[in-house]
């Protein structure tokens, strides 16, 4: 019905994702172990580490020496996957929760940010990780428009604006441009 409701809907999913992902990452890292990277890496799958995941792994393991890697316990992998999905959902584009948050903050001006976001995502897909191409195409098809709430005039209070900025920062520290290292 209004921008406040739109913001609340957009913010709730990512906040709940973080609420479950961060403890899963921490607990899972404590259950994980450090091993040498195998000499034959043909069957080795490395995960990209967003800033938040790297920070948490440094808290648990400290410095990981060269030639070593953290072999994730399934709980840590579930936390990583939750953080990955939360970051995707926070992309400030169209119908994603990040798009809802952005529209609630900027209104119709959010269309400019949607275009910039889709462009940057396509650049990442082309230059860094071709695995993003399907998602980039979906964003190109569905990501430019956001329906306006019924009450476009009601603005956000200060708490929601601050939370919106915090959620954008969370997106930046949770997103990994190269999620899999094959």
């Amino acid at each position: 019905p209004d921008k406040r409701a739109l913001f609340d809907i957009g913010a709730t999913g990512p906040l709940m994702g973080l609420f479950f992902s961060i403890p899963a990452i921490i607990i899972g890292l404590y259950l994980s172990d450090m091993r040498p990277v195998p000499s034959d890496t043909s069957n080795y799958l490395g995960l990209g580490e967003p800033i938040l995941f790297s920070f948490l792994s440094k808290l648990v393991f400290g410095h990981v020496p060269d030639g070593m890697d953290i072999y994730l316990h399934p709980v840590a992998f579930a936390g990583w996957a939750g953080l990955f999905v939360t970051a995707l959902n926070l992309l400030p584009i169209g119908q994603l929760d990040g798009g809802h948050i952005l529209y609630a903050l900027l209104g119709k001006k959010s269309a400019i940010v949607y275009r910039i976001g889709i462009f940057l995502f396509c650049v990442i897909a082309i230059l860094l990780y071709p695995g993003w191409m399907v998602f980039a195409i979906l964003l190109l098809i569905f990501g430019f428009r956001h329906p306006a709430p019924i009450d476009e005039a009601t603005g956000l209070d200060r708490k929601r604006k601050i939370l919106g900025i915090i959620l954008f920062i969370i997106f930046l520290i949770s997103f990994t441009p190269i999620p899999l290292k094959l």
Side-chain angles (χ1 to χ4, degrees), residues 7 32 35-37 39-42 45 54 59 67 78 95 98 104 112 114 119-120 133 168-169 179:
F7 181 89
S32 301
R35 299 182 202 159
V37 174
S39 56
D40 177 19
T41 58
S42 61
L45 175 68
S54 294
L59 284 178
Q95 291 298 311
I112 296 165
Y114 295 164
F119 173 76
L120 291 174
M133 288 305 281
F168 181 70
I169 293 168

Side-chain angles (χ1 to χ4, degrees), residues 102-113:
L102 189 66
Y103 193 92
L105 288 167
L106 301 179
K108 293 179 182 176
K109 294 176 189 173
S110 61
I112 296 165
V113 180

Side-chain angles (χ1 to χ4, degrees), residues 86-104:
T86 298
L88 286 181
N89 201 16
L90 278 172
L91 279 167
I93 298 171
Q95 291 298 311
L96 300 171
D97 281 339
H100 295 325
I101 293 166
L102 189 66
Y103 193 92

Side-chain angles (χ1 to χ4, degrees), residues 41 44-46 129 180-182:
T41 58
Y44 182 73
L45 175 68
Y129 189 71
L180 300 174
K181 300 172 188 172
L182 303 172

Side-chain angles (χ1 to χ4, degrees), residues 133-150:
M133 288 305 281
V134 172
F135 196 61
I137 290 168
L138 289 173
L139 290 175
L140 286 168
I141 294 170
F142 299 111
F144 287 106
R145 302 189 70 217
H146 192 288
I150 296 168

Side-chain angles (χ1 to χ4, degrees), residues 9-80:
I9 290 168
T12 302
L15 288 173
M16 292 309 296
L18 284 172
F19 179 77
F20 288 103
S21 296
I22 291 174
I25 291 168
I26 294 169
I27 292 166
L29 284 171
Y30 276 108
L31 297 172
S32 301
D33 58 311
M34 195 180 322
R35 299 182 202 159
V37 174
S39 56
D40 177 19
T41 58
S42 61
N43 292 326
Y44 182 73
L45 175 68
L47 298 177
E49 290 188 22
I51 295 168
L52 180 57
F53 190 90
S54 294
F55 173 75
L56 294 173
S57 66
K58 280 187 183 22
L59 284 178
V60 173
F61 280 96
H63 174 70
V64 177
D66 289 338
M68 301 292 282
D69 201 1
I70 299 169
Y71 281 69
L72 295 181
H73 185 275
V75 173
F77 181 76
W80 179 91

